[in-house]
Amino acid sequence: MPIVMQTEIVKNERVAPEHYLMQFVSPEMTEEAKPGQFVHIRIGSGWDPLLRRPISLHRWDRKTGVVTLLYRVVGRGTRLLAAMKPGEQLDVMGPLGRGFDLTVAGSHPVVVGGGIGVAPLLALVEELSAQGAQVTILIGARTRELALGVETFQATGSEVEVVTEDGSLGHAGLVTERLRQLVAEKTVSSIYTCGPVPMLKEVQRLSMTHRIPLQVAVEEHMGCGVGACLTCVCKVKRANTPEDHAPDRGWDYALVCTEGPVFRGEEVSFDD
């Protein structure tokens, strides 16, 4: 059951160009939260902006009740959010959505994040590490200053590799190129990913080629966040019968807010 509450912002600071880290206190949410879920935030007290903004849960601390969000400014709503100060009240609903399935991780999962797509992956890495998995994290970014959370991911004790498109930090190129090398070099038990669609498509192709279980967190614009407005659909495969596996059969649309945002890799179509 999602919680709707007013809470006080305790931190809201810029960590990279157009990227912010926000914290608020909600012991109730930390008790319920799972990696991959999100919160829906109402910005301001009036009718403008009208709709809440979905923000991934970055991490949480059940001892202190502190919830951390990592977000990127992409429009008016998130720009207003970035201007809020510690001590101001925040209207938050959550945790919402279906999170990552950790039961398919195996002993050597690889976690792939591109840009702000790393936001829901920190809590995932912490949970996988707590299960005893040897996690490798690939962080993709355009430049060094946009490689988000590198030190925080390193603090989990997992193996962290950074790939920047301009070569200013870590490997030069695309994060999917490094993933292609990795799956050829070593045994990978599963892949978890979140990021831009071209990256997700290539991760999906690699996982299917090498028959590696994949979990994908997708991002869509949302209205209500609870499955009522039907605005956040994505195309998925509904393989209920053998006939559904035919190329032109078995496609349907799923609500990202309630059936996702995390899906099995083979379920999702990134084509229009």
Side-chain angles (χ1 to χ4, degrees):
M1 179 68 69
I3 300 158
V4 182
M5 64 178 296
Q6 292 281 333
T7 185
E8 185 176 298
I9 297 170
V10 296
K11 178 186 284 189
N12 192 24
E13 63 181 26
R14 181 179 178 274
V15 294
E18 301 295 334
H19 291 76
Y20 289 78
L21 196 71
M22 173 177 276
Q23 290 184 332
F24 60 87
V25 178
S26 175
E28 301 91 340
M29 287 195 190
T30 63
E31 286 298 317
E32 299 292 330
K34 296 181 177 61
Q37 290 187 300
F38 65 96
V39 292
H40 221 22
I41 296 178
R42 183 180 183 191
I43 301 166
S45 56
W47 293 103
D48 183 25
L50 177 62
L51 300 177
R52 293 174 178 266
R53 265 48 175 185
I55 308 286
S56 298
L57 291 167
H58 187 46
R59 74 187 320 180
W60 52 87
D61 186 331
R62 290 196 168 99
K63 293 181 180 177
T64 63
V66 173
V67 178
T68 303
L69 311 177
L70 175 64
Y71 64 96
R72 177 166 60 100
V73 173
V74 293
R76 183 164 177 272
T78 44
R79 190 164 301 285
L80 290 170
L81 190 66
M84 296 183 75
K85 306 296 183 187
E88 291 191 62
Q89 290 293 300
L90 195 66
D91 185 318
V92 186
M93 179 169 63
L96 297 169
R98 186 176 68 170
F100 290 105
D101 180 357
L102 276 63
T103 66
V104 300
S107 57
H108 296 93
V110 173
V111 177
V112 186
I116 190 60
V118 302
L121 302 179
L122 178 59
L124 169 69
V125 170
E126 290 177 329
E127 291 280 342
L128 291 174
S129 298
Q131 288 185 1
Q134 297 179 28
V135 186
T136 299
I137 310 142
L138 303 182
I139 298 175
R142 293 201 308 275
T143 66
R144 179 190 190 99
E145 61 182 358
L146 293 175
L148 303 171
V150 175
E151 292 182 358
T152 310
F153 278 102
Q154 289 172 334
T156 66
S158 302
E159 180 183 2
V160 181
E161 295 192 31
V162 181
V163 183
T164 52
E165 294 180 24
D166 67 354
S168 54
L169 183 66
H171 303 277
L174 298 175
V175 70
T176 48
E177 294 169 354
R178 180 60 191 134
L179 177 63
R180 186 174 64 245
Q181 296 170 349
L182 202 61
V183 296
E185 292 169 358
K186 60 192 291 186
T187 300
V188 174
S189 58
S190 62
I191 302 174
Y192 294 83
T193 189
C194 183
V197 168
M199 186 200 86
L200 298 181
K201 290 178 70 172
E202 178 61 11
V203 174
Q204 183 188 55
R205 189 190 68 78
L206 289 168
S207 73
M208 295 181 73
T209 299
H210 292 271
R211 299 180 182 276
I212 301 170
L214 173 66
Q215 295 266 305
V216 180
V218 301
E219 299 169 310
E220 289 288 343
H221 294 293
M222 291 183 186
C224 69
V226 293
C229 68
L230 310 181
T231 59
C232 61
V233 295
C234 74
K235 196 175 181 182
V236 296
K237 181 89 170 165
R238 303 289 197 191
N240 297 318
T241 68
E243 291 76 16
D244 285 342
H245 289 283
D248 59 344
R249 296 287 301 277
W251 290 108
D252 200 351
Y253 290 92
L255 292 173
V256 172
C257 63
T258 55
E259 297 177 79
V262 179
F263 295 90
R264 298 196 312 273
E266 70 274 16
E267 280 186 302
V268 184
S269 170
F270 296 108
D271 299 323
D272 294 332

